[in-house]
Amino acid sequence: MTEEEKISIVTGRGMWHAGNSRQIMLCDGPNGLRKQDDSAVSNNDSIIATCYPTAVTIAQNWDPDQVRRVADGLANECILEDVSVLLGPGVNIKRSPLGGRSFEYYSEDPFLSGITGTAFVAGLESRGVGTSLKHFAGNSQERFRMSSNSQIDERALHEIYLRAFEMIVKNARPSTVMASYNRLNGVYSCQNRELLTDILRNRWGFKGLVVSDWGACTDLPGSIRAGMDLEMPDSIGFHRPSLEKALREEKDGSMRRALDRAAARVEKLITDTFPDDKNRKIRTDIDTHQVAKQTAVGGSVLLKNNGSLPIKKGTVIYASGPLYRKLRVQGGGSSHINIRRDPDMPAALRKEYEVVEDPKEADVLLYFGGLTDEIEGEGYDRESLELPDTQKEDIRNLLSTGKPVIFIAFGGSPFIIPYRDEMASILYMGLPGEAADEAIMELLSGRVSPSGKLAETWPLRLEDTPCFGFFSTDSRDIEYRESIFVGYRFYDTFQVPVQFCFGYGLSYTSFSYDGLKVKDLSTVKLKIKNTGTVSGAEVVQIYVRNPEGDFLRERRSLRGFKKVFLEPGEEKEITISLDDRSFQVWSVEKGDFITCGGEYAIEAGASLQDIRVRASVHVEGENVSAGDRERYPSYYPGAKRRPVFSGADFQKLYGREFSDFSRRGKGEFDRTATIREMSRASLLARLVAGIVHREVVKMSSSGKDNDPEVRMMEEFILDGTIDAAAIQSDRMIGDDLVRALIEDANGHHLRAVKELLRGGRK
Ligand code: BGC
């Protein structure tokens, strides 16, 4: 490649292609194929494709084999459409149930996320289709996602936030990893050498390519030096001069070497995933709709049942709720699939029961509700755990009839279920994809027993969530004060009561556990028996209970699991291998994981709070050093204090200076500033914000303010870096306007006018 070709190949071609003369296409993902033309105006303007359940429901399967089937279905569609790389899976840890993109992520637990993501990536890659493991890393919230700084201490980073990425990189070798929008510990991910080179390549041995999230690269030479290889999308000439300048002015050849490396990796990705690759063959034995259906069935969680489920033939049903006639089966934003078939719940119900319009005439009342697209989506976080008042009122009215009410709940993340105690049964579907209606009928009728388990804790109150007060606030400087106590690690360690615990889910049958044996601290054997009257599957979960001492550790963590299908009366002995990190912690002093010696318990159960059998084991290991113990002193057992660290405590375990990106003022704005940030100081920015809002509403398919597409676009343009906003607004915001905005916000109003005039003359 000539230098010119190298400069050009490290930047995308248009929105979705990469390469020079030989080009490949990269498309969203991950719960279906979102293939768009470059000329598409609306986010939802893509080819029709199978809409699989989103990550929340996929993870609730706790079944890597089923995830492989999804990956196989997706691979077929990518091969058919000449798509080289599918942009997924998303494996960020769910730090708070309020996260707007929770539906796109698997779990609050890194091990479950890692196993699920490994199956997904391995499945696609084995068929010659590339994947993009995203969003690397610390991208836990939507608010200020392009300008925030995630401040995470070293142990939480390695034990929680990086762990799933590490497992998948090592075990499934994704072709690409996508660097996230946010800053991590002060540095934008795309420019973060520690993340992209020291950890990803040197520590984990990643051999693939690092692609920027769409618009996340603002400093092309700096990012290439740090370890990013491909900026997406095409930066329409904005970034090229800076790379040329860096090459011209460098003295030691390091910029040229970094460019060579990046260009070679893009070339390799093209060769490995090019549509004519011999590996890429359609498998004719896959029915993608059936895969979507089975995944929805296996990932639905029965949260409560007083016996009203399954519903017997001949029962008279009344069904209502905001999500009854239009089931919510997927989320909004870059993962939105142009669905092949809209589920038809009324028709599906009528096929099996003769359905009435008046609740008074019915035996059972079904309510279809939960989180709507306006409440959660890409680009914006939720504000509360409550459902809208209208849904609460609906449910109260149904309950007042005195008839059994069954709640069919949808949503990408936990919420407070109103009148939980009074409801007869609750079935949580997550976001179940295109076959939602069929999947619901399998479960309501009892043809299949529910077997999904929660991959995230359902808290009782927002105030109970571990990052309460430190999530999606007005600040761009986010302190991850709860450290390693994410999700159940927090509720379990400090005995905080919850609505439903991690790993929870009921069945129409029952299971007994017996005969647990641990071999070589690496495998667990036990017997599971179906003691009920119908067939069903159980997710057996293995938790390791840590020794208590003067070093900070969570009480327990998930270290293995297996889904087992059993006929009534059938018993199986199963073997579950333990995660190789089961007895390890990250030592800041060593800069590596160490095995911690002591007395541990291996516990097997049907959920975190339903442990059935256990065994004690002794582990030989190292003593944690005095330095590590001083940095992470234990707060339990029996800790009465709220275990969120104070600013001073957190400073001690964070060990770095806190950032102050929230209070940029006059003189400090540059191309990484956002229009909203600059609006505080600039009339011009306020004017532009108004125009952007009007234009985005006009461009959307619905023309409405609260349309999720509008909210996502608006957040992107107003709270993305001005650089990315300019590139992706397709020159609506030109380079002269960018310069004028920055000058105006920095208090140089005359210079701003000059820039505007220059732009006008052009
Ligand atoms: C999202 C990514 C997505 C990309 C391309 C970004 O805004 O964060 O998940 O793959 O757009 O659509």
Side-chain angles (χ1 to χ4, degrees):
M1 265 188 275
T2 61
E3 183 154 293
E4 164 57 31
E5 284 166 334
K6 287 176 197 164
I7 292 173
S8 121
I9 208 169
V10 294
T11 292
R13 300 274 83 81
M15 248 333 235
W16 306 111
H17 288 84
N20 284 331
S21 50
R22 213 162 58 119
Q23 295 183 7
I24 55 167
M25 188 169 197
L26 303 89
C27 291
D28 283 309
N31 58 290
L33 179 59
R34 190 175 77 99
K35 184 181 177 189
Q36 288 200 301
D37 276 351
D38 272 2
S39 59
V41 181
S42 148
N43 179 66
N44 301 341
D45 185 2
S46 55
I47 61 158
I48 290 178
T50 309
C51 176
Y52 298 89
T54 76
V56 57
T57 305
I58 291 184
Q60 286 173 178
N61 274 269
W62 295 63
D63 185 356
D65 294 339
Q66 188 58 31
V67 182
R68 274 300 274 246
R69 285 178 206 118
V70 173
D72 265 325
L74 275 165
N76 263 12
E77 293 177 272
C78 289
I79 294 168
L80 200 68
E81 288 289 338
D82 284 348
V83 170
S84 290
V85 177
L86 186 78
L87 302 173
V91 299
N92 294 94
I93 292 298
K94 303 193 199 199
R95 184 176 172 233
S96 163
L98 298 184
R101 265 182 119 169
S102 278
F103 65 90
E104 267 194 76
Y105 299 134
Y106 294 131
S107 177
E108 67 190 15
D109 178 76
F111 180 73
L112 179 56
S113 304
I115 294 286
T116 310
T118 297
F120 188 93
V121 169
L124 278 145
E125 297 278 348
S126 69
R127 303 277 307 283
V129 178
T131 51
S132 198
L133 192 57
K134 65 191 188 183
H135 306 89
F136 193 55
N139 183 179
S140 315
Q141 69 178 51
E142 292 306 288
R143 188 153 193 217
F144 303 137
R145 67 172 164 156
M146 297 180 74
S147 54
S148 60
N149 180 26
S150 302
Q151 305 182 87
I152 311 179
D153 68 271
E154 252 190 68
R155 272 191 67 196
L157 192 62
H158 286 275
E159 293 178 23
I160 310 286
Y161 293 99
L162 295 182
R163 177 65 183 137
F165 288 99
E166 179 188 5
M167 287 170 74
I168 300 165
V169 163
K170 288 181 172 168
N171 301 328
R173 298 168 194 271
S175 302
T176 82
V177 166
M178 187 189 288
S180 58
Y181 287 126
N182 55 288
R183 298 173 170 103
L184 175 64
N185 292 341
V187 186
Y188 275 114
S189 295
C190 284
Q191 296 161 39
N192 200 319
R193 162 176 281 278
E194 189 182 338
L195 187 67
L196 302 186
T197 298
D198 300 347
I199 295 176
L200 179 64
R201 293 195 187 278
N202 299 345
R203 184 177 281 280
W204 299 346
F206 178 64
K207 296 276 184 293
L209 166 143
V210 175
V211 57
S212 72
D213 197 347
W214 267 230
C217 171
T218 46
D219 171 359
L220 183 57
S223 300
I224 288 179
R225 277 182 187 280
M228 187 207 78
D229 306 301
L230 172 64
E231 80 160 353
M232 288 299 290
D234 187 344
S235 60
I236 54 173
F238 271 49
H239 294 161
R240 193 190 168 99
S242 62
L243 181 56
E244 288 170 338
K245 182 162 179 273
L247 286 164
R248 232 177 14 248
E249 292 177 359
E250 73 159 342
K251 303 232 164 21
D252 59 0
S254 58
M255 186 68 246
R256 217 155 243 106
R257 282 196 299 279
L259 177 65
D260 285 352
R261 269 198 308 269
R265 287 189 194 127
V266 182
E267 190 58 47
K268 180 169 183 319
L269 177 72
I270 295 172
T271 306
D272 289 351
T273 62
F274 204 70
D276 68 1
D277 188 280
K278 281 193 290 300
N279 268 330
R280 295 171 50 108
K281 287 198 202 77
I282 305 275
R283 269 182 49 184
T284 51
D285 58 330
I286 298 169
D287 178 340
T288 56
H289 179 72
Q290 282 306 317
V291 174
K293 175 177 160 186
Q294 298 311 338
T295 315
V297 171
S300 304
V301 184
L302 183 61
L303 294 176
K304 181 177 180 187
N305 192 12
N306 72 351
S308 58
L309 283 178
I311 305 174
K312 288 188 197 67
K313 273 239 162 319
T315 306
V316 180
I317 284 180
Y318 169 81
S320 63
L323 302 178
Y324 170 47
R325 283 176 204 283
K326 186 144 182 45
L327 301 181
R328 180 155 179 254
V329 302
Q330 60 171 328
S334 63
S335 68
H336 187 276
I337 303 306
N338 192 353
I339 197 161
R340 187 161 54 190
R341 114 187 222 290
D342 268 322
D344 186 346
M345 200 62 229
L349 271 181
R350 274 197 305 269
K351 246 196 252 164
E352 306 220 17
Y353 306 98
E354 354 65 56
V355 175
V356 292
E357 292 299 318
D358 182 352
K360 284 199 227 74
E361 293 166 15
D363 304 320
V364 168
L365 315 181
L366 298 186
Y367 187 73
F368 292 76
L371 304 179
T372 61
D373 278 327
E374 290 72 36
I375 302 176
E376 63 174 355
E378 178 172 344
Y380 48 97
D381 295 314
R382 282 159 68 197
E383 281 158 21
S384 114
L385 288 185
E386 301 284 332
L387 287 187
D389 287 345
T390 47
Q391 293 198 34
K392 292 186 197 166
E393 226 167 275
D394 287 349
I395 295 172
R396 200 179 49 226
N397 288 338
L398 292 180
L399 287 167
S400 70
T401 62
K403 304 201 171 185
V405 175
I406 300 176
F407 185 22
I408 316 286
F410 298 82
S413 43
F415 49 87
I416 291 165
I417 300 184
Y419 307 104
R420 200 173 67 247
D421 293 340
E422 284 125 86
M423 280 196 221
S425 303
I426 305 168
L427 180 65
Y428 172 54
M429 303 300 299
L431 297 180
E434 68 175 37
D437 49 353
E438 296 168 50
I440 291 170
M441 290 318 300
E442 294 295 290
L443 300 165
L444 293 190
S445 66
R447 279 191 294 278
V448 182
S449 170
S451 62
K453 301 270 186 169
L454 294 178
E456 188 180 2
T457 311
W458 283 50
L460 272 173
R461 311 176 310 164
L462 185 59
E463 299 87 299
D464 292 339
T465 56
C467 55
F468 180 67
F470 296 92
F471 181 87
S472 200
T473 65
D474 287 340
S475 172
R476 292 180 159 79
D477 304 282
I478 311 161
E479 294 172 23
Y480 282 50
R481 288 259 183 114
E482 70 286 7
S483 183
I484 58 170
F485 295 110
V486 181
Y488 70 85
R489 286 170 162 76
F490 170 81
Y491 304 104
D492 184 48
T493 305
F494 301 101
Q495 302 290 292
V496 180
V498 298
Q499 281 187 96
F500 304 105
C501 72
F502 180 77
Y504 175 84
L506 304 172
S507 164
Y508 295 155
T509 185
S510 52
F511 302 93
S512 70
Y513 289 55
D514 193 21
L516 179 131
K517 282 178 260 162
V518 184
K519 203 172 157 242
D520 301 334
L521 296 177
S522 63
T523 46
V524 180
K525 270 193 194 320
L526 71 156
K527 286 191 196 129
I528 305 293
K529 185 171 181 182
N530 181 345
T531 51
T533 51
V534 295
S535 56
E538 171 70 321
V539 176
V540 179
Q541 303 159 40
I542 306 289
Y543 295 92
V544 170
R545 193 182 174 115
N546 295 321
E548 291 175 3
D550 56 358
F551 178 59
L552 188 81
R553 292 184 84 176
E554 68 273 29
R555 191 185 297 271
R556 291 186 287 182
S557 24
L558 179 78
R559 298 300 188 180
F561 63 87
K562 185 164 251 167
K563 192 163 194 166
V564 207
F565 180 85
L566 295 166
E567 296 295 345
E570 192 186 2
E571 183 176 55
K572 273 188 194 155
E573 186 176 47
I574 56 166
T575 306
I576 302 177
S577 37
L578 289 177
D579 178 21
D580 54 11
R581 287 280 157 72
S582 292
F583 310 105
Q584 297 192 324
V585 294
W586 177 262
S587 157
V588 176
E589 287 217 331
K590 280 221 163 151
D592 207 345
F593 281 90
I594 58 166
T595 300
C596 255
E599 304 304 318
Y600 289 78
I602 310 289
E603 305 181 328
S607 79
L608 182 76
Q609 291 180 3
D610 186 6
I611 300 299
R612 307 289 185 81
V613 275
R614 52 167 65 83
S616 304
V617 293
H618 175 77
V619 176
E620 293 292 337
E622 298 175 44
N623 286 327
V624 177
S625 71
D628 279 331
R629 267 184 286 138
E630 199 187 317
R631 191 183 269 235
Y632 291 96
S634 179
Y635 280 82
Y636 83 110
K640 289 280 180 299
R641 57 183 288 178
R642 196 186 150 74
V644 165
F645 301 99
S646 68
D649 286 347
F650 181 66
Q651 172 80 79
K652 209 165 91 186
L653 48 107
Y654 181 54
R656 309 187 195 214
E657 281 292 296
F658 288 143
S659 63
D660 192 6
F661 290 113
S662 294
R663 279 184 295 154
R664 266 206 263 210
K666 279 197 174 107
E668 292 173 322
F669 295 108
D670 57 23
R671 298 184 78 96
T672 64
T674 77
I675 295 179
R676 211 171 263 153
E677 245 184 310
M678 292 190 283
S679 292
R680 286 200 309 266
S682 153
L683 176 65
L684 181 61
R686 289 198 288 279
L687 270 172
V688 171
I691 297 170
V692 166
H693 176 74
R694 261 207 335 264
E695 289 303 312
V696 169
V697 173
K698 251 201 271 170
M699 273 162 61
S700 73
S701 26
S702 71
K704 288 193 189 131
D705 280 63
N706 68 348
D707 180 329
E709 194 185 340
V710 169
R711 290 188 69 180
M712 179 180 82
M713 276 298 285
E714 202 172 347
E715 286 306 311
F716 190 96
I717 299 181
L718 298 187
D719 242 320
T721 61
I722 183 72
D723 186 78
I727 292 169
Q728 290 207 28
S729 71
D730 203 15
R731 294 183 201 277
M732 199 164 89
I733 301 171
D735 208 26
D736 308 293
L737 181 55
V738 170
R739 281 199 294 271
L741 279 165
I742 295 171
E743 293 290 6
D744 199 49
N746 280 332
H748 307 306
H749 308 299
L750 266 179
R751 285 195 222 159
V753 173
K754 269 197 213 151
E755 290 291 354
L756 284 178
L757 289 176
R758 189 172 355 176
R761 270 201 302 279
K762 267 200 239 152

